[in-house]
Amino acid sequence: YTLSLHDALPISVGSGSQTTITWTTEGLDTHGFLTPTSGTVTIPAGMGGLYAITAQLVTYFVSGRCYAQITAAGRIYRTPFTSPGEDLVSVSATVPLAAGDTISVAVFHTSGSTIKWTGYLDVYRISY
């Protein structure tokens, strides 16, 4: 059971502002985890279990530092700040989730201006 989301359109993120990614394109969604153009993935009824979650975000204009964050069932998984100028950030977590639990992804940067990000989110149920 998998969910693969790709942000086809760049999302503008202001400097110093943590912003939740709104996913615009589903590559694969086996059980209706996401309503398209939503920033929240919801575990469907009967689909609780252990999930492997990976998000990767990229920009081409970052001059400051950034981090990516997954929030799953209220728990936060965040990367350390990148070095200045790194334009790719990814975060992964393996998390037990129950039906109705939610997952979201956010990005934060300190570049001094608004920049655009694209990326992907993969969610795999690896055990139940």
Side-chain angles (χ1 to χ4, degrees):
Y1 307 103
T2 62
L3 171 68
S4 181
L5 303 172
H6 302 272
D7 181 19
L9 301 173
I11 293 178
S12 295
V13 177
S15 183
S17 173
Q18 180 173 298
T19 302
T20 299
I21 302 299
T22 301
W23 304 103
T24 58
T25 305
E26 289 180 296
L28 174 66
D29 186 351
T30 61
H31 286 79
F33 288 87
L34 178 83
T35 301
T37 70
S38 171
T40 303
V41 172
T42 303
I43 304 302
M47 294 299 296
L50 187 64
Y51 282 81
I53 306 164
T54 299
Q56 185 174 66
L57 304 167
V58 65
T59 186
Y60 299 103
F61 309 106
V62 69
S63 59
R65 300 170 65 180
C66 60
Y67 68 74
Q69 172 179 302
I70 293 171
T71 303
R75 294 180 300 274
I76 295 172
Y77 305 88
R78 183 181 297 158
T79 61
F81 270 105
T82 63
S83 297
E86 287 187 46
D87 60 1
L88 183 135
V89 62
S90 63
V91 59
S92 296
T94 302
V95 183
L97 296 171
D101 284 345
T102 61
I103 302 165
S104 63
V105 176
V107 67
F108 174 90
H109 72 90
T110 61
S111 293
S113 62
T114 298
I115 57 176
K116 296 185 183 294
W117 294 82
T118 61
Y120 73 84
L121 171 65
D122 288 322
V123 178
Y124 298 96
R125 188 169 112 174
I126 57 176
S127 181
Y128 52 91

